[in-house]
Amino acid sequence: MGLGIGLVGLPNVGKSTTFNALTKAQNAESANYPFCTIEPNKAVVPVPDPRLDELAKIVNPERIQHSTLDFVDIAGLVKGASQGEGLGNKFLSNIRETEVILQIVRCFEDENITHVEGSIDPVRDIEIIETELLLADMESLEKRITALQRKAKGNDRDAKLQLPVAEALLKHLEAGQPAATFPDAENEAFKILEKELRLLSSKEIIYGANVDEEGLAEDNEYVQALKAYAAERNREVIKLCAKIEEEMVEFDEEEKKEMLESLGVEESGLDQIIRKGFEKLGLMSYFTAGVKEVRSWTIRQGTTAPKAAAVIHNDFEKGFIRAEVISYEDFIACGGEAGAKEAGKMRLEGKDYIIQDGDVMHFRFNV
């Protein structure tokens, strides 16, 4: 399922280092100068889910297959990007192709790593980027309004419906407010504009606070300022040390756990980012558990059983008869499928069943 999370930020904030650690591959060049990343690096990242390991203990499969997310490392933006500064609109278009933005924000001092603005100020950095996203949206919307005005004069019905909403949205953006907070967001005309223009400021944003080692255990002043800013906008902050995450790439799980404990951290910042990105995309997982494979399948929240079956193979949806369902908790508690059947914990569900996160599924179909 090709759903992208775009890593954005000013130059030299740790995006490529974060990307390297996320993908467990040193294929995104890192260097201490702006625009080291020129072409967007793309990678598919497994979604951490300890439930798969628990299922595997019971089933003893040949392999385990996780759900995945697409991450895109997009080159650093600077002031004036919407007007072509730096590497300009090229990168704004790369962001447009993603569905969630992970904005990496530098929250540490290091005189050996230059900052394009000359000082450390996470709120200023965020506002620079989000202003560029707003300006890019305004430019797209102004062009659309011109086209709608022309069509409305010709009595085009759709244009007449969309024009007042587009004009109201432009005023909203001009006031410095993102499309995500547009008060008439349920209006069908707004939804059309949002979809067709792929508005940058309507996307979900997660802030990744990149700290040094000392900043992991206790929030420094930069993280505190960032969290206060995010709270006002109902956005989430995930703290990580990109440098340490990259160092842990080669660690096994036990070594990684020991390292995190020594730093006073319970969970990797990258694992938090992946899980939160999965959630922000409106995704969830169901499982299949057999001797060949224990696997997590990615679906949208609210998906029906036949549509979920289609993720495995289209024929499963076409010939759907019923689904045999065991909740993850019941599967574990009963020691597997046989025990769940004996305990009456397996359910037969039809076409209207809405899949729940963690359901262990077996589809019956006939084509």
Side-chain angles (χ1 to χ4, degrees), residues 56-77:
K57 289 177 184 177
I58 294 172
V59 179
N60 193 28
E62 294 176 11
R63 61 182 177 270
I64 297 174
Q65 184 72 40
H66 288 252
S67 292
T68 61
L69 283 180
D70 292 345
F71 277 85
V72 183
D73 179 24
I74 298 168
L77 292 173

Side-chain angles (χ1 to χ4, degrees), residues 35-262:
F35 309 122
C36 169
T37 305
I38 297 178
E39 292 300 327
N41 297 292
K42 299 181 182 181
V44 178
V45 180
V47 178
D49 194 333
R51 295 176 297 180
L52 287 166
D53 294 324
E54 295 304 312
L55 291 171
K57 289 177 184 177
I58 294 172
V59 179
N60 193 28
E62 294 176 11
R63 61 182 177 270
I64 297 174
Q65 184 72 40
H66 288 252
S67 292
T68 61
L69 283 180
D70 292 345
F71 277 85
V72 183
D73 179 24
I74 298 168
L77 292 173
V78 293
K79 282 181 182 176
S82 59
Q83 303 302 314
E85 290 296 324
L87 293 169
N89 287 318
K90 179 180 168 100
F91 302 127
L92 293 170
S93 68
N94 289 332
I95 299 171
R96 213 178 290 280
E97 297 302 318
T98 64
E99 294 194 29
V100 170
I101 293 172
L102 170 61
Q103 190 171 160
I104 303 297
V105 187
R106 182 171 164 182
C107 294
F108 66 91
E109 298 272 4
D110 188 334
E111 62 183 19
N112 295 315
I113 302 176
T114 60
H115 191 292
V116 72
E117 291 295 318
S119 63
I120 308 302
D121 185 340
V123 171
R124 175 206 60 206
D125 292 356
I126 286 170
E127 290 178 340
I128 287 173
I129 288 179
E130 295 186 5
T131 295
E132 294 306 320
L133 301 185
L134 277 176
L135 291 171
D137 280 351
M138 288 165 57
E139 182 180 358
S140 297
L141 196 56
E142 286 167 353
K143 291 178 181 176
R144 177 56 59 91
I145 287 172
T146 299
L148 289 172
Q149 288 172 334
R150 185 172 61 252
K151 290 181 179 179
K153 288 180 180 178
N155 287 322
D156 183 290
R157 180 177 175 275
D158 290 339
K160 286 184 176 181
L161 289 173
Q162 289 183 35
L163 183 56
V165 176
E167 291 173 337
L169 176 58
L170 180 59
K171 289 181 180 178
H172 182 78
L173 297 177
E174 288 173 339
Q177 299 299 314
T181 64
F182 185 59
D184 201 12
E186 294 305 310
N187 189 302
E188 193 60 35
F190 170 78
K191 292 179 180 179
I192 292 171
L193 290 166
E194 182 183 40
K195 182 178 180 180
E196 292 183 353
L197 297 178
R198 292 178 291 179
L199 297 171
L200 298 169
S201 65
S202 71
K203 296 181 184 296
E204 288 271 11
I205 295 179
I206 303 169
Y207 297 128
N210 186 18
V211 300
D212 55 17
E213 186 173 327
E214 291 72 26
L216 276 176
E218 186 174 346
D219 291 349
N220 61 32
E221 61 181 299
Y222 302 122
V223 175
Q224 291 172 14
L226 175 57
K227 285 185 173 180
Y229 179 89
E232 292 176 358
R233 289 153 182 79
N234 196 31
R235 290 175 178 164
E236 303 205 36
V237 176
I238 296 174
K239 189 165 62 172
L240 74 153
C241 176
K243 182 180 178 181
I244 288 176
E245 296 283 358
E246 189 176 34
E247 290 174 0
M248 291 193 297
V249 163
E250 301 301 327
F251 289 10
D252 61 30
E253 285 305 312
E254 190 59 34
E255 290 171 329
K256 183 176 174 183
K257 182 179 179 182
E258 289 177 4
M259 169 67 90
L260 292 173
E261 287 178 352
S262 72

Side-chain angles (χ1 to χ4, degrees), residues 256-257 260-261 263-269 271-272:
K256 183 176 174 183
K257 182 179 179 182
L260 292 173
E261 287 178 352
L263 295 168
V265 179
E266 291 184 3
E267 183 183 15
S268 158
D271 285 354
Q272 294 178 59

